[in-house]
Amino acid sequence: MTSAVRSSRPMMMAGGVVLLLALGLVALMLVRPSSSAGSAAPAAAPSDTSADVGFARDMSIHHQQAVEMSFIVRDRTSDVAVRRLAYDIINTQANQRGMMLGWLEMWGRAKSSSAPPMEWMGHTVTPRGDGSLMPGMATDTELDALRAAKGRDAEVLFLKLMTAHHRAGAEMAQAAADAAGTDEIRNLATGMVRGQQSEIALMADMLKERGSTA
């Protein structure tokens, strides 16, 4: 082995070490933020009286009843279209409710409040009573009627109750999309408006097929 070859080997090893050190420094810069970025405070949780928190609480309650009505009609009819709609509502709104309750937990906010429902929208709501806490929500009497109905009667009653439920829900969601301070609520609420308006149109067609209207 010549002296030139022998002398090049430590130079190559040294160059490899330098390259590894350089790559390590780059990785650290990518993983660890700079001191100025690291000192930035995390985004503050929305206040207890914010539209974000109020919407998450109220819509969680609103969604829970929609899921309940969907489970009821699922067992009262064999109609494929109505059962498919019921399954879609169960899956979508149960998932959205879970997201909203999760955000309340993450923000350190209670999942319920003694404040009047929908107060975050800038006005107070007088519940209809009989279990109906917010606009669009069915009363306990209406839910009992849905449980007692069968077949086409159950389908029509469900579609009427859910149409009213969706209309009020879409109105609440639009208010949240306009007033929310977090991307989470703003984006979710915007998607709710589109989804519920689409289902309102679908239910209008389904009612027409059954010789009824909302």
Side-chain angles (χ1 to χ4, degrees):
M1 183 181 293
T2 65
S3 60
V5 172
R6 286 196 300 270
S7 63
S8 66
R9 180 174 296 173
M11 291 179 64
M12 291 170 64
M13 293 176 63
V17 171
V18 171
L19 177 59
L20 289 173
L21 287 173
L23 290 174
L25 288 172
V26 171
L28 283 173
M29 292 174 67
L30 291 173
V31 173
R32 297 180 59 186
S34 64
S35 58
S36 60
S39 62
S47 71
D48 199 63
T49 58
S50 66
D52 306 72
V53 171
F55 173 76
R57 285 174 178 155
D58 288 346
M59 190 58 86
S60 293
I61 296 171
H62 217 263
H63 271 18
Q64 180 61 32
Q65 190 187 70
V67 171
E68 180 184 2
M69 288 195 291
S70 298
F71 272 120
I72 293 172
V73 79
R74 182 199 64 175
D75 299 332
R76 309 310 297 165
T77 180
S78 59
D79 184 87
V80 174
V82 173
R83 287 172 63 88
R84 184 185 299 117
L85 174 62
Y87 276 119
D88 287 344
I89 293 172
I90 290 168
N91 291 330
T92 299
Q93 298 209 11
N95 179 58
Q96 291 174 343
R97 183 173 184 271
M99 292 169 64
M100 291 183 288
L101 293 177
W103 289 328
L104 288 172
E105 182 73 24
M106 182 178 66
W107 295 332
R109 305 302 178 200
K111 297 178 178 64
S112 61
S113 172
S114 59
M118 302 172 72
E119 187 177 48
W120 57 272
M121 292 177 65
H123 59 78
T124 57
V125 172
T126 302
R128 292 170 60 196
D130 192 19
S132 178
L133 303 177
M134 284 173 273
M137 291 187 68
T139 64
D140 289 341
T141 300
E142 288 169 334
L143 291 177
D144 287 341
L146 181 60
R147 293 186 186 98
K150 295 180 181 179
R152 184 166 294 244
D153 289 341
E155 296 162 18
V156 170
L157 182 55
F158 169 77
L159 292 169
K160 287 184 175 182
L161 291 175
M162 193 59 74
T163 296
H165 205 276
H166 271 22
R167 283 174 178 164
E171 182 180 347
M172 192 198 312
Q174 186 60 62
D178 294 338
T182 63
D183 288 338
E184 293 91 340
I185 292 296
R186 190 161 43 245
N187 294 338
L188 178 64
T190 300
M192 282 183 191
V193 173
R194 290 196 300 266
Q196 297 199 15
Q197 287 179 340
S198 175
E199 287 182 345
I200 288 170
L202 171 63
M203 289 188 288
D205 290 340
M206 294 172 74
L207 281 168
K208 185 176 180 180
E209 291 169 1
R210 289 159 178 79
S212 186
T213 62

